[in-house]
Amino acid sequence: MATVSRPAFSLASNATSLAAAYFRVSTAEQAGDGHQSLDVQREKAHQEAAKRGLTIVREFIDVASGTRASREQYQTMLAYLRTNAVGHVLIGSLDRLGRDQRELLTAAWEFGDLGVELVAIDRPFDARNI
């Protein structure tokens, strides 16, 4: 009998309790310093996940300008969301996801089409009405 490899989380699990997190800084210098450092973003995401009863199953980190949608981990996250069952994406603030309004709307609409709630931790954000 062949051994079957299974993903880190069961596809039968309730996707609404699973989340991915996206962290971004523009430069390597910002990664470890200041209110938007990677450590601060990660801490806030994990606190928000705990408050909501979510489990973060995957983190994506970019050190790149938010003006470029071609960011490697951002694109990897979008591909992941298209093929994996998570109910939420946690970000520290909308500007971490991107600086271009068109890109933000496109991402929010795609997340919605995938059944993924975009959670901007710094302020309430509901993409269902845009």
Side-chain angles (χ1 to χ4, degrees), residues 2 7 18 44 55 77 81 84 123:
L18 301 178
K44 287 180 180 179
T55 301
M77 177 185 67
L81 295 176
N84 290 277
R123 69 180 67 148

Side-chain angles (χ1 to χ4, degrees), residues 23 39-54 56 90 121:
F23 314 122
D39 288 340
V40 169
Q41 291 178 57
R42 179 178 284 116
E43 181 180 334
K44 287 180 180 179
H46 283 273
Q47 287 173 352
E48 185 69 19
K51 185 169 76 173
R52 292 173 175 253
L54 303 173
I56 296 175
L90 300 170
I121 297 166

Side-chain angles (χ1 to χ4, degrees), residues 3-113:
T3 303
V4 177
S5 154
R6 297 188 190 251
F9 59 92
S10 170
L11 294 177
S13 68
N14 187 353
T16 61
S17 67
L18 301 178
Y22 180 73
F23 314 122
R24 184 189 64 77
V25 291
S26 296
T27 66
E29 291 79 28
Q30 292 175 337
D33 187 33
H35 73 282
Q36 291 284 5
S37 74
L38 293 174
D39 288 340
V40 169
Q41 291 178 57
R42 179 178 284 116
E43 181 180 334
K44 287 180 180 179
H46 283 273
Q47 287 173 352
E48 185 69 19
K51 185 169 76 173
R52 292 173 175 253
L54 303 173
T55 301
I56 296 175
V57 294
R58 182 87 187 263
E59 295 180 350
F60 301 89
I61 301 169
D62 273 316
V63 179
S65 170
T67 60
R68 297 180 307 118
S70 62
R71 299 180 308 272
E72 180 182 342
Q73 286 296 293
Y74 176 69
Q75 292 301 319
T76 300
M77 177 185 67
L78 292 176
Y80 175 83
L81 295 176
R82 292 178 191 121
T83 60
N84 290 277
V86 296
H88 302 80
V89 170
L90 300 170
I91 56 172
S93 62
L94 286 177
D95 70 343
R96 299 298 88 199
L97 192 59
R99 298 275 186 185
D100 179 85
Q101 289 179 349
R102 178 177 285 169
E103 178 63 27
L104 289 172
L105 286 173
T106 299
W109 288 329
E110 181 171 2
F111 290 1
D113 289 346

